[in-house]
Amino acid sequence: MKFVRVPKNQEINKQPSRTKKSKASPAEFSALAAMHMNLDTKKWAKSILQQNDRSGDDASIEKLMERCNEIWYVQQHRLETRIKRRIGRLGYEKFINRKSPTGKPVLLPRGKPLERLAEVRKQAVTEALKECLRTGASGGSRIEVQLTKTPSLVQYKSCSGENRDVYGGAYKGWAATVDIHRLTVPEDWRERVLKKGLDTAGGMLTLDAHPLERHGDIELFEAVWVQQGRGYSGTMNRGVIARFDGEVFHGENIEAAIKGVSRKVRARTPSQPKGPYHISIEQFVKRYSKYNHEVSIADAVDSGSCEYGILSWCHTVGIDPEDDAVPMSRILDAFQQSPRIEVRRAVLHSVKRNRRTLQKSL
């Protein structure tokens, strides 16, 4: 029998029928339900059954509405049912038919896939730069990252600009300084640098790193890195990064890098549960603030720090590297701003040197 579709607001023919209408079969319930998927009232369900010469009793109305709900559920969960039937389980339930917290559909970012991939790569470099270099001038920061397939084009440049939309009131139109960082890194920077743990090695931004032949257990990389300069500037350097036993050293060549990282490892004191290397920053500052002697650049060098790392840290905390020695109080204040393990070593080395000097003078 061919059934007809009944509009929602169609009036029911109230004239009594001489013949008793038969109840719909399960197949007929399915056919009627498929034609009226938006069925939502019993009055409409009764009209559908009666207009198709079927019994409109309460039991039939309930069965028709129940069948509509079953078909709707199957259609809404068709993808989940197909996955469960094929692989026996649903591995990503939380990603199916979910809405965002705002109720709006979740859309992919704008742009083609390659453009979105390039933005992800640039964002990784930007985050590493903000961790190593000083940013955030009064007028804001601008970081411009370019990707290249030619390693020889890797470079870094920093400059300053002006922003006249920052100040208001009587100072409206005055120029505010903007720190600008322009850098070019390899297209596969995340593979060459980030995944090897060299992105912020020694507190400096690594732009590129090419592995060299190991020297025993010492890893060697021909690298390009940026150290912090004065203010918001940075300086690009080329050389070799040596990594051994958790220590990193930047050198001009392979020999200097190997000697530096070896000296750095030897300068470490044995691990102690409550030694100076295992206490908190506040405890370290409190313990060594009683010393009033000066800490020199030579202390940092003798304790294993590389020249690039020393200059970068000094510029980061605002210490003039041309000063041969700095009071202990100033070093500890700067250590709280940028706590690096190399600073602890320099402080401990200066304390030992000062003690030896006092013993000789007695």
Side-chain angles (χ1 to χ4, degrees):
M1 178 179 179
K2 185 177 181 181
F3 295 108
V4 296
R5 180 178 177 82
V6 181
K8 183 175 182 179
N9 297 323
Q10 180 173 330
E11 295 184 0
I12 302 176
N13 184 10
K14 298 183 178 180
Q15 295 181 358
S17 176
R18 295 182 180 180
T19 60
K20 185 178 180 180
K21 296 181 179 180
S22 62
K23 291 187 177 181
S25 64
E28 292 173 338
F29 276 123
S30 298
L32 290 172
M35 296 175 62
H36 304 83
M37 287 301 302
N38 54 344
L39 177 63
D40 56 356
T41 64
K42 291 184 177 181
K43 182 178 179 180
W44 189 11
K46 185 176 181 178
S47 175
I48 293 171
L49 292 168
Q50 290 183 352
Q51 294 296 333
N52 288 281
D53 295 329
R54 293 295 179 268
S55 175
D57 59 348
D58 294 341
S60 298
I61 292 173
E62 292 293 339
K63 288 183 179 179
L64 178 59
M65 298 187 71
E66 182 180 351
R67 187 55 184 157
C68 286
N69 292 333
E70 291 176 355
I71 295 177
W72 178 86
Y73 181 85
V74 170
Q75 290 181 349
Q76 293 296 318
H77 298 80
R78 184 175 298 170
L79 177 60
E80 299 174 3
T81 304
R82 185 184 304 169
I83 295 174
K84 288 181 179 179
R85 185 171 63 251
R86 290 187 177 182
I87 64 176
R89 62 183 179 85
L90 190 62
Y92 52 97
E93 294 91 339
K94 62 181 181 179
F95 299 110
I96 297 180
N97 295 331
R98 301 291 183 179
K99 293 183 178 180
S100 64
T102 60
K104 297 180 180 179
V106 180
L107 303 177
L108 289 173
R110 295 181 180 275
K112 298 180 181 179
L114 290 179
E115 294 175 351
R116 298 201 300 267
L117 178 59
E119 289 300 322
V120 172
R121 291 169 172 170
K122 293 179 181 180
Q123 183 61 32
V125 179
T126 300
E127 292 176 359
L129 184 145
K130 291 182 178 179
E131 185 176 346
C132 298
L133 303 179
R134 185 185 293 113
T135 59
S138 58
S141 303
R142 189 162 74 240
I143 301 174
E144 302 174 2
V145 182
Q146 297 294 331
L147 304 177
T148 180
K149 295 183 179 180
T150 307
S152 59
L153 299 180
V154 172
Q155 62 177 348
Y156 168 86
K157 294 181 180 180
S158 60
C159 59
S160 60
E162 294 182 353
N163 185 356
R164 297 183 180 274
D165 298 328
V166 175
Y167 302 116
Y171 303 98
K172 186 175 182 179
W174 286 33
T177 303
V178 179
D179 58 286
I180 304 173
H181 307 266
R182 296 189 177 97
L183 59 158
T184 303
V185 299
E187 195 174 60
D188 56 347
W189 181 86
R190 293 189 299 172
E191 295 287 338
R192 297 169 66 95
V193 179
L194 183 61
K195 287 189 176 181
K196 295 176 182 177
L198 297 172
D199 51 327
T200 59
M204 289 175 278
L205 173 65
T206 305
L207 301 180
D208 191 14
H210 181 74
L212 301 174
E213 190 70 24
R214 280 172 171 259
H215 181 78
D217 294 332
I218 301 177
E219 295 180 276
L220 298 173
F221 302 90
E222 184 179 4
V224 183
W225 64 86
V226 180
Q227 70 182 55
Q228 177 66 56
R230 296 181 183 272
Y232 295 98
S233 65
T235 305
M236 187 181 74
N237 300 280
R238 295 180 182 270
V240 177
I241 297 178
R243 183 168 61 184
F244 174 53
D245 197 16
E247 300 292 344
V248 175
F249 190 93
H250 296 72
E252 297 180 355
N253 49 52
I254 296 177
E255 292 75 12
I258 293 174
K259 290 180 181 179
V261 74
S262 301
R263 184 175 65 251
K264 210 169 186 178
V265 172
R266 289 195 304 269
R268 294 190 308 195
T269 58
S271 300
Q272 300 175 3
K274 296 184 180 180
Y277 292 101
H278 301 275
I279 59 178
S280 65
I281 298 172
E282 292 76 13
Q283 292 174 334
F284 184 87
V285 172
K286 183 178 180 180
R287 178 180 295 186
Y288 292 97
S289 60
K290 61 183 179 181
Y291 296 94
N292 55 8
H293 65 272
E294 294 184 334
V295 182
S296 64
I297 297 292
D299 292 324
V301 174
D302 294 341
S303 61
S305 299
C306 63
E307 179 182 356
Y308 304 102
I310 296 172
L311 294 177
S312 180
W313 184 81
C314 288
H315 289 308
T316 299
V317 298
I319 293 178
D320 190 353
E322 295 182 0
D323 296 338
D324 294 334
V326 181
M328 175 68 78
S329 59
R330 178 70 181 90
I331 293 294
L332 295 178
D333 291 340
F335 174 68
Q336 290 180 304
Q337 300 176 27
S338 178
R340 296 186 188 176
I341 186 64
E342 290 83 1
V343 182
R344 293 198 187 215
R345 292 172 183 159
V347 170
L348 296 175
H349 187 275
S350 69
V351 171
K352 293 179 181 179
R353 174 181 55 77
N354 186 57
R355 287 175 179 173
R356 288 195 299 267
T357 304
L358 292 176
Q359 290 176 358
K360 291 180 180 180
S361 61
L362 295 177

